[in-house]
Amino acid sequence: MLVYGTEAIIPAEVEISSLRIIQEAELGDAECIRSCYEQLALIDGKRMDAVCHGQLYQNRMSRAFNKRVKPRQFAPGQLVLKKIFPYQDEAKGKFSPNWQGSYMAHRVLTGGALILAKMDGEIWPKPINSDAIKR
C-alpha cells in the first residue's frame, strides 16, 4: 500500500517539494504544500495499518503452528532415551539404533531443556533440548 499502485516517492521529496512532484501534480505552491502535508499525515496511518497487519499475520501463523505442537513434560527422576545425532560417533550407519539410553532426567530447566544423568549417577555437563529426548 505504501509503494505499489502508486509511484514511489521518498519521504524527503514529499516534505521538500521537488521539481518532479510539482510538475506531476500541476498545482500551485500553496496547493502543493497542502497536498504534501496531507500525504505525510496519511503515511503514518498506512504504516500503522501495515504494522497491525504484520502482527495479526504472525499471531495467525503461531496459532496454526502451535496446534500441531505436542508439549513434552518431564519430571526429575524420570527415565528417558536420548536421540543419536548424525555427527555423533554412535551413528555408524543405516541400521544403527536411533536412540541411546536409558538416562534419568536429573533437572528440568525452563524452556524445555533437561540435564541428564546416567544410571550410575554421573551427570552430563550440558543441557539437552527436550526435542531430542523421549520417555
Side-chain angles (χ1 to χ4, degrees):
M1 188 72 181
L2 293 174
V3 175
Y4 299 110
T6 61
E7 186 176 349
I9 300 171
I10 60 174
E13 279 187 280
V14 173
E15 191 170 329
I16 303 168
S17 299
S18 66
L19 183 60
R20 181 179 73 134
I21 302 294
I22 294 171
Q23 286 177 350
E24 285 180 6
E26 296 178 1
L27 300 173
D29 287 338
E31 294 175 358
C32 181
I33 291 171
R34 185 177 44 79
S35 67
C36 288
Y37 281 122
E38 288 174 0
Q39 288 178 1
L40 280 175
L42 290 176
I43 286 176
D44 291 334
K46 290 180 182 180
R47 283 184 183 153
M48 287 303 297
D49 289 343
V51 167
C52 290
H53 178 71
Q55 288 175 347
L56 289 173
Y57 177 76
Q58 286 179 348
N59 289 339
R60 278 196 315 258
M61 289 296 111
S62 66
R63 251 187 281 123
F65 176 78
N66 289 335
K67 280 182 188 176
R68 295 189 176 104
V69 173
K70 294 179 183 176
R72 297 178 178 200
Q73 302 293 331
F74 293 100
Q78 195 172 28
L79 295 178
V80 295
L81 295 175
K82 184 175 85 68
K83 185 176 186 176
I84 299 175
F85 292 104
Y87 56 83
Q88 289 177 324
D89 293 335
E90 291 86 8
K92 295 196 180 192
K94 181 172 162 179
F95 298 111
S96 64
N98 295 330
W99 299 91
Q100 71 183 15
S102 65
Y103 296 99
M104 189 171 56
H106 178 70
R107 204 167 101 202
V108 179
L109 303 175
T110 59
L114 296 169
I115 294 180
L116 298 180
K118 292 184 179 179
M119 295 306 288
D120 60 359
E122 182 184 343
I123 298 173
W124 280 54
K126 293 183 181 178
I128 296 176
N129 196 353
S130 64
D131 293 343
I133 303 293
K134 74 176 182 179
R135 292 182 188 161

